Amino acid sequence: MNIAKDRVVQLHYTLKDESGREIESSRGGSPMAYLHGHSNIIPGLEEALEGKAAGDQVSVTVPPEKGYGMPRPGLTQRVPVKHLQGAKTWRPGMVAVVQTEQGPRQVQVVKVGRFMADVDFNHPMAGKTLSFDVEIVSVREADPEEVAHGHVHGDGGHQH
Ligand code: ZN
């Protein structure tokens, strides 16, 4: 079965930046699952996977325009250090999670004082060219419920 809209794809991936430094990888853990054609993943990766099948290896380099976009100025905010989640001590450049009205957001720590920190709400991968090495593990038809929700249920997907 080939990857097409409304199909569930399980894959392993390794993500590297322009310098070849590994940013993240699913290898060694469970594969990631996503629902194709529903913008669950960045556009450049979704386009590259269209039509591929289980067992295929795909290497793709995604420019920022097809990834997380370019960083926008003016998205730095001062927040209490105690609101930063993910580590005990913070240094500039680290990525923290902050709860917002729209849910949890990844932010990059710009400056950190004793009580307050300046954080950048741009996506930490905004402006970056990203290289993916992908191995497709499985492809299946989505359940009607998954299509209605716009995401995968069960292994590697939403548990609800
Ligand atoms: Zn759901």
Side-chain angles (χ1 to χ4, degrees), residues 21-89:
R21 190 177 60 95
E22 186 174 312
I23 298 173
E24 58 187 47
S25 177
S26 68
R27 289 166 208 278
S30 305
M32 183 195 94
Y34 81 95
L35 179 60
H36 194 80
H38 290 258
S39 300
N40 288 179
I41 60 175
I42 56 172
L45 184 56
E46 193 160 51
E47 282 171 23
L49 296 176
E50 177 88 29
K52 300 290 191 292
D56 284 355
Q57 312 259 358
V58 182
S59 292
V60 58
T61 299
V62 178
E65 311 85 71
K66 295 211 166 182
Y68 292 96
M70 295 305 287
R72 287 178 293 148
L75 290 184
T76 299
Q77 282 183 31
R78 186 155 288 184
V79 301
V81 170
K82 63 180 180 190
H83 288 184
L84 303 180
Q85 299 171 355
K88 284 211 170 70
T89 56

Side-chain angles (χ1 to χ4, degrees), residues 79 83-85 96-107 121:
V79 301
H83 288 184
L84 303 180
Q85 299 171 355
V97 173
V98 174
Q99 299 298 328
T100 72
E101 285 174 11
Q102 289 81 40
R105 285 279 300 274
Q106 284 196 322
V107 299
F121 276 79

Side-chain angles (χ1 to χ4, degrees), residues 149 151 153 158 160:
H149 286 203
H151 57 228
H153 294 157
H158 275 246
H160 70 124

